[in-house]
Amino acid sequence: MTEILEAIQSAFPSADVGILTNPSPCAQHSLLVAGKDALDVAKFLRDGLGYDFCSNVSGVDWPPKKVREVVVRKETVDGVESEVKETIEREVPGYLEVVYHLFSIAKRLGPVILRLRTGNRSDEVSLPSLTPVWKSADFQEREIYDLYGIHFEGHPDLRRLLMWEEFTDYPMRKDYVAPDDYEYEPTPHDEILAKVGPPKEVA
Amino acid sequence: MNVTLDGETVVKLQPVFGYLHRNHEKIAEGNSWLAAVPYTDRLDYICPLTNNWAYTLAVETLAGLEVPERAEYIRIITAELTRLQNHVAFMGFILADMGAWGSALMYAFREREKILDLFEALTGARMMCNYMRFGGCRCDLPSGWLESAGQLVEGFPAFLDEMEALLTGNEILLARLQGVAPLTPERAINGGLSGPILRAAGVDYDIRKVDNYGLYSRFKFRVPRGRVGDCYDRFMIRVLEARESVEILKQALVGIPDGPVVNPKAKQRGFRPPAGEAYGRIEGPKGELGFYLISDGSDRPYRFRVRPPSLINLTLLEELCLGTKIADVMVILGSIDIVLGEVDR
């Protein structure tokens, strides 16, 4: 993984790329790439390093979480300086993540894992689409747009894949609350009844 | 599918998904690690045992679990039987797509049923097997199972011969399949195709050979490839792969050792893998079936992602169908071999 990182850094010295280590025994580490460099890095991985097969594209939701930290603070009380330890709660902002699993069919290498992160979790977040580089990301990015709400810039046909067009929420996000009944549709009862008119009296 | 036609020629095609969507990934994220195993049966309901294997393999990669040798052999045997019945069912279904509704499908299903009987004897269910566990399998083989599996495998090449005599030289089949929707290796790789249809396009890539997961490195088998990647190659590749599966099965049924079928250290209920993530994949009958799992150290998956070969193999469907006749669209779709339970999840 470090060789790949060095190759990317020598090709794009200004690129914002780093390695994210994975504590699991399988040690599948990943490359964290800034959104602005993603397309360049992806093209380099495909054409320069031979990672021609983009197998899997997944979205991951990381909601904001609270982290407790111990901070040492200097305090002066009545002219005496003392160190005070204090536990503060800091909120780490949430973000959405897209993970690409790449393989090389010719060289039989892989997986190289590419991660892109959004700045926040609002409904208007966007990342560059890698579908122009690997066509196989097409439906999978559409699925992530559908279920996570990440807009992929440069995607040829970004529509909802699994949910229906009129659906407005993003079901795979961690804070999604499923409705009691998906089938419920409000029908305009009163308007219809007004059109029909009062019930006729049966003689 | 929304198909736009010019006369009988396809000028635009848009697959429409979601009619079988139940958000399998979300359900799995709300349940324990073990509770996801029976749900994987329902992904590609034609081949439940390979789905089980892909998921347990991903979990074992994540947690670094060893699998006993006998369990690996049972997994290979059940996976190759699954591949056989999937490819046999495919041969029947594609004939049905061509309008030969009935005979070929019934022949295929007669043979598939024998394999499902074996699954029933082993797991208790024909299709929803729920058989594999983290670090092994749920139960050992029942007595006499290996003998009946051996008999089936012994008789299988004769059935394939019969099927080939019936089909491969058939004039109508050749007219409907040959030269329809050819595919170059470059397009197939870029489109993310995997499994038989990638190899039909001439790419030598079989995850059983590449990753050497399980104990596949011990077995001798060949990886068939197509020449032009048309529908006929996609059909023939299944026949040839079924023959190779028979070879693997013959070796596995002889070589299966005694021993435990599940790693005693592996915890099933209340299983908590260490925090981290893993991507595990196998060569499923339909292509690369992968599971991407993220654990935060708790008793349920933080992220559970299925890499569905059926969905991703449809990426190039429009490209394959453009310029062909409307009657060919069904055959092209049939030659890709999808199961909608896996497309929509």
Side-chain angles (χ1 to χ4, degrees):
Chain A
M1 189 56 77
T2 31
E3 298 102 68
I4 295 169
L5 180 69
E6 278 161 18
I8 293 172
Q9 278 169 342
S10 61
F12 305 101
S14 65
D16 189 0
V17 191
I19 288 186
L20 213 68
T21 48
N22 176 6
S24 158
C26 65
Q28 294 175 349
H29 307 304
S30 45
L31 291 169
L32 183 64
V33 185
K36 63 177 172 57
D37 304 317
L39 216 54
D40 288 338
V41 170
K43 275 186 189 139
F44 176 70
L45 279 168
R46 184 191 66 181
D47 301 329
L49 301 177
Y51 286 92
D52 46 6
F53 188 72
C54 174
S55 167
N56 182 28
V57 188
S58 357
V60 189
D61 181 16
W62 299 97
K65 57 182 174 188
K66 287 187 173 140
V67 182
R68 282 169 160 258
E69 275 180 351
V70 179
V71 192
V72 180
R73 186 160 55 87
K74 279 185 181 165
E75 213 173 46
T76 318
V77 185
D78 301 334
V80 182
E81 200 176 322
S82 61
E83 285 188 347
V84 179
K85 278 189 184 173
E86 201 178 12
T87 313
I88 57 161
E89 233 177 24
R90 189 165 58 89
E91 193 169 89
V92 179
Y95 52 88
L96 298 163
E97 197 173 40
V98 187
V99 187
Y100 294 80
H101 285 83
L102 312 174
F103 290 88
S104 168
I105 288 206
K107 297 182 187 165
R108 308 207 158 189
L109 295 173
V112 165
I113 305 166
L114 206 64
R115 306 178 95 92
L116 312 180
R117 282 179 182 171
T118 63
N120 57 53
R121 291 174 73 251
S122 69
D123 289 352
E124 296 296 322
V125 285
S126 66
L127 282 173
S129 164
L130 300 188
T131 304
V133 185
W134 296 287
K135 172 78 174 155
S136 54
D138 186 346
F139 287 165
Q140 305 188 68
E141 285 183 343
R142 268 181 69 189
E143 187 183 320
I144 293 167
Y145 164 68
D146 186 357
L147 304 180
Y148 283 93
I150 301 174
H151 295 257
F152 288 94
E153 280 164 16
H155 191 284
D157 181 26
L158 196 65
R159 287 177 294 127
R160 280 188 180 269
L161 184 82
L162 297 168
M163 307 301 280
W164 51 102
E165 288 289 326
E166 296 79 20
F167 192 75
T168 49
D169 219 334
Y170 304 114
M172 279 301 283
R173 289 198 184 187
K174 292 281 175 187
D175 51 5
Y176 174 74
V177 182
D180 293 339
D181 185 2
Y182 276 106
E183 307 283 318
Y184 172 76
E185 275 178 36
T187 40
H189 277 285
D190 296 338
E191 291 163 32
I192 291 169
L193 289 178
K195 257 186 213 168
V196 175
K200 281 176 194 164
E201 280 188 26
V202 184
Chain B
M1 284 190 289
N2 287 336
V3 187
T4 312
L5 297 174
D6 177 14
E8 279 195 31
T9 312
V10 178
V11 291
K12 191 180 174 198
L13 183 145
Q14 279 188 332
V16 183
F17 303 98
Y19 290 99
L20 213 55
H21 176 57
R22 67 271 184 197
N23 218 339
H24 166 64
E25 296 176 2
K26 188 87 175 173
I27 295 170
E29 282 168 22
N31 275 316
S32 69
W33 288 87
L34 181 65
V37 178
Y39 277 111
T40 60
D41 291 336
R42 279 117 181 121
L43 281 173
D44 175 356
Y45 42 77
I46 304 271
C47 348
L49 284 160
T50 45
N51 300 346
N52 282 183
W53 193 5
Y55 174 56
T56 46
L57 184 92
V59 173
E60 283 150 13
T61 319
L62 176 67
L65 277 175
E66 296 283 323
V67 182
E69 205 178 328
R70 185 175 173 84
E72 293 278 27
Y73 267 85
I74 297 177
R75 285 178 175 192
I76 287 177
I77 292 169
T78 49
E80 294 308 321
L81 283 173
T82 305
R83 200 181 314 278
L84 274 185
Q85 56 102 353
N86 178 71
H87 287 357
V88 164
F90 164 84
M91 287 178 227
F93 281 133
I94 193 163
L95 262 288
D97 288 340
M98 279 185 264
W101 184 257
S103 327
L105 192 65
M106 287 303 122
Y107 270 116
F109 268 51
R110 184 193 65 195
E111 215 62 20
R112 176 168 175 257
E113 207 60 33
K114 292 179 190 167
I115 298 177
L116 293 185
D117 284 346
L118 283 176
F119 288 170
E120 189 176 3
L122 176 61
T123 69
R126 288 164 71 248
M127 288 167 80
M128 300 298 131
C129 296
N130 180 16
Y131 179 58
M132 298 198 190
R133 292 290 181 264
F134 310 139
C137 304
R138 178 158 53 94
C139 51
D140 205 347
L141 303 172
S143 63
W145 195 86
L146 282 176
E147 287 71 34
S148 32
Q151 273 174 14
L152 178 123
V153 170
E154 212 54 51
F156 215 84
F159 164 72
L160 286 174
D161 290 342
E162 187 191 14
M163 211 59 178
E164 276 207 77
L166 185 68
L167 298 178
T168 45
N170 185 306
E171 204 180 317
I172 300 172
L173 186 125
L174 292 179
R176 291 299 303 277
L177 294 183
Q178 265 183 341
V180 175
L183 190 60
T184 61
E186 294 76 33
R187 285 308 300 155
I189 292 172
N190 194 256
L193 305 192
S194 55
I197 58 173
L198 178 67
R199 293 189 284 277
V203 182
D204 177 17
Y205 195 76
D206 188 318
I207 298 171
R208 288 175 292 176
K209 292 271 189 198
V210 175
D211 281 11
N212 274 328
Y213 67 93
L215 293 175
Y216 272 114
S217 51
R218 288 192 193 175
F219 293 88
K220 235 181 105 185
F221 62 99
R222 293 172 295 176
V223 179
R225 270 190 290 164
R227 227 179 268 125
V228 283
D230 59 357
C231 284
Y232 186 70
D233 278 1
R234 288 196 276 275
F235 174 80
M236 277 311 289
I237 205 95
R238 265 95 177 188
V239 181
L240 297 172
E241 273 191 14
R243 289 188 188 280
E244 292 306 315
S245 287
V246 170
E247 289 307 311
I248 298 176
L249 278 167
K250 277 182 189 162
Q251 299 166 41
L253 289 171
V254 174
I256 182 165
D258 284 334
V261 292
V262 70
N263 185 343
K265 284 182 199 153
K267 204 175 168 194
Q268 308 294 338
R269 278 168 207 276
F271 177 75
R272 286 165 188 264
E277 61 170 58
Y279 179 66
R281 58 176 194 162
I282 67 161
E283 180 70 42
K286 296 195 165 58
E288 174 186 337
L289 177 64
F291 281 80
Y292 174 55
L293 305 169
I294 300 181
S295 162
D296 57 356
S298 73
D299 58 351
R300 50 188 65 177
Y302 184 80
R303 178 75 175 102
F304 179 101
R305 153 87 182 157
V306 189
R307 189 240 186 237
S310 291
L311 170 69
I312 297 163
N313 285 351
L314 287 177
T315 306
L316 292 185
L317 180 66
E318 180 175 22
E319 202 174 304
L320 288 174
C321 289
L322 287 185
T324 60
K325 299 275 185 266
I326 178 81
D328 291 332
V329 172
M330 277 322 291
V331 180
I332 296 168
L333 182 65
S335 78
I336 293 175
D337 189 18
I338 59 163
V339 160
L340 284 163
E342 190 176 71
V343 172
D344 289 345
R345 284 160 292 132

